[in-house]
Short mmCIF file of all heavy atoms in Angstrom, two decimals:
data_model
loop_
_atom_site.label_atom_id
_atom_site.label_comp_id
_atom_site.label_asym_id
_atom_site.label_seq_id
_atom_site.Cartn_x
_atom_site.Cartn_y
_atom_site.Cartn_z
N ALA A 1 0.83 -1.21 0.00
CA ALA A 1 0.00 0.00 0.00
C ALA A 1 0.87 1.26 0.00
O ALA A 1 0.56 2.25 -0.69
CB ALA A 1 -0.93 0.00 1.21
N ILE A 2 1.95 1.23 0.77
CA ILE A 2 2.87 2.36 0.81
C ILE A 2 3.44 2.64 -0.57
O ILE A 2 3.48 3.79 -1.04
CB ILE A 2 3.99 2.09 1.83
CG1 ILE A 2 3.43 2.12 3.25
CG2 ILE A 2 5.13 3.11 1.69
CD1 ILE A 2 4.36 1.52 4.28
N GLU A 3 3.89 1.59 -1.24
CA GLU A 3 4.47 1.76 -2.57
C GLU A 3 3.43 2.28 -3.56
O GLU A 3 3.74 3.12 -4.42
CB GLU A 3 5.04 0.43 -3.06
CG GLU A 3 6.28 -0.01 -2.31
CD GLU A 3 7.44 0.96 -2.52
OE1 GLU A 3 8.08 0.89 -3.57
OE2 GLU A 3 7.68 1.80 -1.62
N ALA A 4 2.19 1.82 -3.45
CA ALA A 4 1.14 2.30 -4.34
C ALA A 4 0.89 3.79 -4.11
O ALA A 4 0.71 4.56 -5.08
CB ALA A 4 -0.14 1.50 -4.11
N CYS A 5 0.87 4.22 -2.85
CA CYS A 5 0.66 5.63 -2.55
C CYS A 5 1.83 6.48 -3.03
O CYS A 5 1.63 7.61 -3.52
CB CYS A 5 0.47 5.82 -1.05
SG CYS A 5 -1.08 5.16 -0.40
N ARG A 6 3.03 5.97 -2.90
CA ARG A 6 4.20 6.73 -3.34
C ARG A 6 4.16 7.02 -4.84
O ARG A 6 4.65 8.06 -5.28
CB ARG A 6 5.47 5.95 -3.00
CG ARG A 6 5.91 6.07 -1.56
CD ARG A 6 7.05 5.13 -1.26
NE ARG A 6 7.60 5.35 0.07
CZ ARG A 6 8.40 4.52 0.70
NH1 ARG A 6 8.74 3.37 0.13
NH2 ARG A 6 8.85 4.79 1.91
N ARG A 7 3.57 6.13 -5.59
CA ARG A 7 3.51 6.34 -7.04
C ARG A 7 2.59 7.50 -7.41
O ARG A 7 2.58 7.94 -8.56
CB ARG A 7 3.08 5.05 -7.74
CG ARG A 7 4.18 3.98 -7.74
CD ARG A 7 3.85 2.84 -8.68
NE ARG A 7 2.82 1.96 -8.16
CZ ARG A 7 3.05 0.92 -7.37
NH1 ARG A 7 4.30 0.63 -7.00
NH2 ARG A 7 2.05 0.16 -6.94
N THR A 8 1.81 7.99 -6.45
CA THR A 8 0.99 9.18 -6.69
C THR A 8 1.75 10.46 -6.39
O THR A 8 1.21 11.55 -6.56
CB THR A 8 -0.27 9.15 -5.81
OG1 THR A 8 0.10 9.33 -4.43
CG2 THR A 8 -1.04 7.84 -5.98
N ASP A 9 3.00 10.33 -5.91
CA ASP A 9 3.84 11.46 -5.50
C ASP A 9 3.30 12.18 -4.25
O ASP A 9 3.67 13.33 -3.99
CB ASP A 9 4.02 12.48 -6.64
CG ASP A 9 4.83 11.92 -7.79
OD1 ASP A 9 5.74 11.12 -7.53
OD2 ASP A 9 4.55 12.26 -8.95
N VAL A 10 2.44 11.52 -3.49
CA VAL A 10 1.97 12.06 -2.22
C VAL A 10 2.84 11.47 -1.11
O VAL A 10 2.97 10.25 -1.01
CB VAL A 10 0.49 11.70 -1.98
CG1 VAL A 10 0.06 12.15 -0.58
CG2 VAL A 10 -0.39 12.34 -3.04
N PRO A 11 3.47 12.30 -0.28
CA PRO A 11 4.30 11.78 0.81
C PRO A 11 3.50 10.89 1.75
O PRO A 11 2.32 11.14 2.02
CB PRO A 11 4.79 13.05 1.52
CG PRO A 11 4.71 14.12 0.49
CD PRO A 11 3.51 13.78 -0.35
N VAL A 12 4.15 9.85 2.27
CA VAL A 12 3.49 8.86 3.12
C VAL A 12 4.09 8.92 4.53
O VAL A 12 5.30 8.93 4.70
CB VAL A 12 3.64 7.44 2.55
CG1 VAL A 12 2.94 6.42 3.46
CG2 VAL A 12 3.10 7.36 1.13
N LEU A 13 3.20 8.93 5.52
CA LEU A 13 3.58 8.86 6.92
C LEU A 13 2.80 7.71 7.53
O LEU A 13 1.60 7.56 7.25
CB LEU A 13 3.24 10.17 7.64
CG LEU A 13 3.54 10.27 9.14
CD1 LEU A 13 5.03 10.13 9.40
CD2 LEU A 13 3.02 11.61 9.69
N VAL A 14 3.45 6.89 8.35
CA VAL A 14 2.76 5.75 8.94
C VAL A 14 2.81 5.81 10.45
O VAL A 14 3.65 6.50 11.05
CB VAL A 14 3.36 4.40 8.46
CG1 VAL A 14 3.27 4.28 6.95
CG2 VAL A 14 4.81 4.24 8.93
N GLY A 15 1.90 5.06 11.08
CA GLY A 15 1.87 4.97 12.52
C GLY A 15 1.09 3.75 12.96
O GLY A 15 0.43 3.10 12.16
N GLY A 16 1.19 3.44 14.24
CA GLY A 16 0.48 2.29 14.78
C GLY A 16 1.45 1.23 15.27
O GLY A 16 2.61 1.16 14.84
N ARG A 17 0.94 0.38 16.16
CA ARG A 17 1.78 -0.67 16.75
C ARG A 17 2.28 -1.67 15.71
O ARG A 17 3.26 -2.37 15.95
CB ARG A 17 0.98 -1.41 17.82
CG ARG A 17 0.66 -0.58 19.05
CD ARG A 17 -0.06 -1.39 20.10
NE ARG A 17 -0.35 -0.62 21.30
CZ ARG A 17 -0.94 -1.11 22.38
NH1 ARG A 17 -1.31 -2.39 22.39
NH2 ARG A 17 -1.17 -0.35 23.42
N GLY A 18 1.61 -1.74 14.58
CA GLY A 18 2.04 -2.67 13.55
C GLY A 18 3.44 -2.37 13.03
O GLY A 18 4.11 -3.26 12.49
N PHE A 19 3.90 -1.13 13.20
CA PHE A 19 5.24 -0.76 12.73
C PHE A 19 6.28 -0.80 13.85
O PHE A 19 7.43 -0.40 13.65
CB PHE A 19 5.22 0.64 12.11
CG PHE A 19 4.40 0.71 10.85
CD1 PHE A 19 3.11 1.20 10.87
CD2 PHE A 19 4.92 0.26 9.65
CE1 PHE A 19 2.34 1.27 9.71
CE2 PHE A 19 4.17 0.31 8.49
CZ PHE A 19 2.87 0.82 8.51
N GLY A 20 5.86 -1.32 15.03
CA GLY A 20 6.76 -1.35 16.18
C GLY A 20 6.60 -0.09 17.01
O GLY A 20 6.39 1.00 16.46
N SER A 21 6.70 -0.22 18.32
CA SER A 21 6.51 0.95 19.19
C SER A 21 7.53 2.04 18.91
O SER A 21 7.27 3.22 19.13
CB SER A 21 6.60 0.52 20.66
OG SER A 21 7.86 -0.09 20.92
N ASP A 22 8.70 1.64 18.42
CA ASP A 22 9.75 2.59 18.08
C ASP A 22 9.85 2.85 16.59
O ASP A 22 10.77 3.54 16.13
CB ASP A 22 11.10 2.10 18.60
CG ASP A 22 11.46 0.71 18.08
OD1 ASP A 22 10.64 0.12 17.32
OD2 ASP A 22 12.55 0.20 18.42
N GLY A 23 8.93 2.29 15.81
CA GLY A 23 8.93 2.51 14.37
C GLY A 23 10.00 1.74 13.62
O GLY A 23 10.28 2.03 12.46
N ARG A 24 10.58 0.71 14.24
CA ARG A 24 11.71 0.04 13.60
C ARG A 24 11.32 -0.66 12.30
O ARG A 24 12.14 -0.78 11.38
CB ARG A 24 12.38 -0.95 14.56
CG ARG A 24 11.51 -2.09 15.07
CD ARG A 24 12.26 -2.84 16.17
NE ARG A 24 11.55 -3.98 16.73
CZ ARG A 24 10.62 -3.87 17.67
NH1 ARG A 24 10.29 -2.69 18.14
NH2 ARG A 24 10.03 -4.95 18.16
N TRP A 25 10.09 -1.14 12.22
CA TRP A 25 9.70 -1.81 10.98
C TRP A 25 9.29 -0.81 9.91
O TRP A 25 9.37 -1.11 8.73
CB TRP A 25 8.60 -2.84 11.26
CG TRP A 25 9.10 -3.90 12.20
CD1 TRP A 25 10.32 -4.52 12.14
CD2 TRP A 25 8.44 -4.40 13.36
NE1 TRP A 25 10.45 -5.40 13.20
CE2 TRP A 25 9.32 -5.35 13.96
CE3 TRP A 25 7.20 -4.18 13.95
CZ2 TRP A 25 8.98 -6.05 15.11
CZ3 TRP A 25 6.87 -4.87 15.10
CH2 TRP A 25 7.75 -5.80 15.67
N ALA A 26 8.91 0.39 10.30
CA ALA A 26 8.71 1.46 9.32
C ALA A 26 10.05 1.82 8.70
O ALA A 26 10.16 2.02 7.48
CB ALA A 26 8.07 2.68 9.99
N THR A 27 11.09 1.91 9.54
CA THR A 27 12.44 2.17 9.03
C THR A 27 12.86 1.08 8.06
O THR A 27 13.46 1.35 7.02
CB THR A 27 13.44 2.26 10.21
OG1 THR A 27 13.03 3.30 11.10
CG2 THR A 27 14.85 2.51 9.70
N LYS A 28 12.54 -0.17 8.40
CA LYS A 28 12.88 -1.29 7.53
C LYS A 28 12.21 -1.16 6.17
O LYS A 28 12.79 -1.53 5.14
CB LYS A 28 12.43 -2.60 8.21
CG LYS A 28 13.02 -3.85 7.61
CD LYS A 28 14.39 -4.12 8.16
CE LYS A 28 14.92 -5.46 7.73
NZ LYS A 28 16.21 -5.80 8.35
N LEU A 29 11.00 -0.59 6.17
CA LEU A 29 10.26 -0.42 4.92
C LEU A 29 10.56 0.92 4.26
O LEU A 29 9.99 1.23 3.20
CB LEU A 29 8.75 -0.54 5.19
CG LEU A 29 8.27 -1.87 5.77
CD1 LEU A 29 6.76 -1.85 5.95
CD2 LEU A 29 8.70 -3.04 4.88
N GLY A 30 11.43 1.72 4.86
CA GLY A 30 11.84 2.98 4.25
C GLY A 30 10.78 4.05 4.22
O GLY A 30 10.71 4.83 3.27
N VAL A 31 9.97 4.13 5.29
CA VAL A 31 8.88 5.11 5.31
C VAL A 31 8.91 5.87 6.62
O VAL A 31 9.33 5.34 7.66
CB VAL A 31 7.51 4.41 5.12
CG1 VAL A 31 7.22 3.46 6.26
CG2 VAL A 31 6.39 5.41 4.93
N ALA A 32 8.51 7.15 6.58
CA ALA A 32 8.50 7.98 7.78
C ALA A 32 7.48 7.47 8.78
O ALA A 32 6.40 7.02 8.41
CB ALA A 32 8.19 9.43 7.40
N PHE A 33 7.82 7.58 10.07
CA PHE A 33 6.98 7.04 11.14
C PHE A 33 6.73 8.11 12.19
O PHE A 33 7.62 8.91 12.51
CB PHE A 33 7.68 5.84 11.79
CG PHE A 33 7.02 5.31 13.03
CD1 PHE A 33 5.93 4.46 12.93
CD2 PHE A 33 7.47 5.66 14.30
CE1 PHE A 33 5.30 3.96 14.07
CE2 PHE A 33 6.86 5.16 15.44
CZ PHE A 33 5.77 4.30 15.32
N ALA A 34 5.51 8.14 12.73
CA ALA A 34 5.17 9.00 13.86
C ALA A 34 4.58 8.13 14.96
O ALA A 34 3.66 7.37 14.71
CB ALA A 34 4.18 10.08 13.45
N ARG A 35 5.10 8.25 16.17
CA ARG A 35 4.68 7.36 17.26
C ARG A 35 3.33 7.78 17.85
O ARG A 35 2.67 6.98 18.52
CB ARG A 35 5.74 7.29 18.34
CG ARG A 35 5.97 8.57 19.11
CD ARG A 35 7.10 8.40 20.13
NE ARG A 35 6.85 7.27 21.01
CZ ARG A 35 6.15 7.34 22.13
NH1 ARG A 35 5.60 8.49 22.49
NH2 ARG A 35 6.00 6.28 22.88
N ASP A 36 2.92 9.04 17.64
CA ASP A 36 1.63 9.47 18.16
C ASP A 36 1.14 10.66 17.34
O ASP A 36 1.80 11.12 16.40
CB ASP A 36 1.70 9.82 19.65
CG ASP A 36 2.78 10.86 19.97
OD1 ASP A 36 3.06 11.72 19.11
OD2 ASP A 36 3.34 10.82 21.08
N ALA A 37 -0.03 11.19 17.73
CA ALA A 37 -0.65 12.26 16.96
C ALA A 37 0.17 13.54 16.98
O ALA A 37 0.30 14.23 15.96
CB ALA A 37 -2.06 12.52 17.50
#
């Protein structure tokens, strides 16, 4: 889904426990992460 959104040239930011509390799996996927609102 991230890659599909990137092809629209819209920047992507992710969040949620699915990416790890510290965002380590967001880093693994090469996408910006925010831990809270």
Side-chain angles (χ1 to χ4, degrees):
I2 291 165
E3 290 296 281
C5 290
R6 280 172 172 165
R7 288 192 286 272
T8 69
D9 293 326
V10 174
V12 181
L13 178 63
V14 300
R17 292 183 179 182
F19 294 100
S21 59
D22 56 359
R24 61 189 181 278
W25 298 317
T27 301
K28 195 83 172 185
L29 300 181
V31 63
F33 172 81
R35 67 183 305 273
D36 55 31

